[in-house]
Amino acid sequence: MTTAPSTYRAPLPETLVELLGRKVIDLPPAELEGGLLRGDVSAAYDRVRAESPEAQIVVRRCRDLLDDPDGDGFAVLEVGLLLGRLGLDDGQKAATVLLSWLGAPLRAFDRWPLWKPLGTNLTIDPMRATGSGYNPLHIDVVNATEPPDYSALLCVRPDPLGEGNSIVSHLRRAVDRLNDDERALLAEPVFHDGAFYDLTGVGTEYDPFPVLDGLPASEGFVRFTAKMLPDMDLTDPHTSAARELERELISEQQKFLLGFGDLIVVNQHLCVHGREPLGHGQEEVPEEQRRLLWQMFLRAAEAVAR
């Protein structure tokens, strides 16, 4: 089993685990307003961070991993101890507290709670997030004017068949390796992906959209999803440019298994993510034992302030 290298991991000190274990029961629940964590709840969570030097160290490490333009744009927080000690309900709340220190928790999909469950459904398209097949590299909510700044995935139950590597790749470096003609084609608003409905906090529908919006990484996105490629015209030069970007992303992708309690956070301004196929024979695994992740989005604090 290949796990995320220690270079990208952010372990929680024992003292921080103990502090969260003591505090979490008395902290307010993660109630929302306009899709975002309510201001008074966020302030209560942040007071825990302020009183803990260890929490501030963890936050600084995550910031370095997530936001350094010369880095890789993702971090893996180790929250298994929290889930093991507190149980899944209070453990989820503690994970919410942790993520609130990195950004404003955002429930983009109205039909789901703040944490969206991503189980394993064998009756749907295997390419989908809850499918069992290859989930190609993408940013989440790509067809919105304001995609989430960060996407977070918490592994609650790994694939019991030992597969389903997470994959990540740096968008900006891949774009830099393209030629001028390819970048010009990707800057044209001719790309489409998916439906847009029952969403909050991500702006309005962007259809068609450009892959490259011309904005700096701190503000803009590389709106790429390989899920759009099968429906594109093979004779269209825009398709060739998008496929070349996918090839560049795959050439430098990193892959590793998330274990129980691994919480990967991806900066969507810098990085795409996806998943390799789950292990063969999923139909033999009871549904309640198949891979399960929880997903949450974050809005950058600066964006909320604006």
Side-chain angles (χ1 to χ4, degrees):
M1 181 178 74
T2 302
T3 60
S6 59
T7 311
Y8 308 111
R9 300 187 78 88
L12 300 187
E14 176 72 21
T15 49
L16 179 55
V17 172
E18 291 178 356
L19 176 66
L20 286 167
R22 294 196 307 270
K23 295 283 189 179
V24 71
I25 295 175
D26 295 325
L27 287 171
E31 295 181 352
L32 307 175
E33 184 175 357
L36 290 166
L37 190 66
R38 212 173 60 206
D40 61 315
V41 176
S42 180
Y45 292 177
D46 203 50
R47 284 194 289 271
V48 178
R49 179 201 58 79
E51 71 179 70
S52 169
E54 293 86 355
Q56 294 169 54
I57 291 170
V58 170
V59 170
R60 283 197 298 271
R61 172 155 176 77
C62 288
R63 286 274 172 235
D64 289 342
L65 292 171
L66 287 169
D67 300 333
D68 183 350
D70 296 322
D72 286 285
F74 73 96
V76 179
L77 281 150
E78 299 177 359
V79 303
L81 274 177
L82 279 175
L83 297 183
R85 291 188 185 181
L86 301 179
L88 294 185
D89 290 342
D90 285 337
Q92 183 184 91
K93 185 177 178 182
T96 306
V97 174
L98 282 168
L99 288 177
S100 76
W101 301 340
L102 302 178
L106 167 68
R107 184 195 64 198
F109 299 106
D110 293 344
R111 62 174 295 195
W112 297 105
L114 179 60
W115 287 94
K116 177 183 177 183
L118 299 178
T120 302
N121 185 343
L122 304 185
T123 68
I124 63 170
D125 181 350
M127 189 187 296
R128 293 177 60 180
T130 55
S132 61
Y134 176 58
N135 185 16
L137 292 166
H138 63 280
I139 71 167
D140 288 316
V141 202
V142 66
N143 59 342
T145 54
E146 301 172 22
D149 296 303
Y150 303 93
S151 182
L153 291 162
L154 173 57
C155 182
V156 179
R157 192 167 57 238
D159 177 14
L161 299 179
E163 300 295 334
N165 279 306
S166 292
I167 49 178
V168 290
S169 192
H170 199 285
L171 276 164
R172 303 284 170 169
R173 290 199 289 267
V175 169
D176 288 345
R177 294 193 295 271
L178 301 177
N179 63 44
D180 290 344
D181 289 341
E182 290 163 340
R183 285 193 290 268
L185 287 164
L186 294 174
E188 296 179 12
V190 299
F191 299 91
H192 307 265
D193 181 71
F196 187 96
Y197 57 90
D198 294 337
L199 296 170
T200 297
V202 293
T204 58
E205 184 173 11
Y206 201 179
D207 181 47
F209 56 85
V211 172
L212 305 181
D213 60 16
L215 296 172
S218 59
E219 301 174 34
F221 295 88
V222 177
R223 283 182 172 79
F224 179 78
T225 171
K227 298 177 185 181
M228 67 185 175
L229 295 177
D231 294 328
M232 294 180 67
D233 181 355
L234 291 175
T235 65
D236 188 334
H238 297 92
T239 306
S240 298
R243 287 196 175 276
E244 185 57 34
L245 177 53
E246 182 190 34
R247 282 190 285 271
E248 290 294 341
L249 288 166
I250 290 174
S251 72
E252 298 292 333
Q253 74 183 12
Q254 301 183 60
K255 57 183 182 178
F256 46 84
L257 281 174
L258 296 177
F260 171 73
D262 281 345
L263 172 56
I264 183 171
V265 186
V266 175
N267 182 338
Q268 294 216 117
H269 296 270
L270 300 176
C271 192
V272 281
H273 66 280
R275 180 203 64 232
E276 291 190 326
L278 303 183
H280 180 70
Q282 292 292 318
E283 63 279 357
E284 303 298 325
V285 179
E287 184 175 358
E288 68 277 6
Q289 296 178 22
R290 295 177 196 148
R291 185 177 189 258
L292 172 64
L293 304 182
W294 291 336
Q295 181 181 49
M296 185 205 284
F297 301 117
L298 298 174
R299 181 64 67 204
E302 315 85 76
V304 174
R306 290 199 296 269

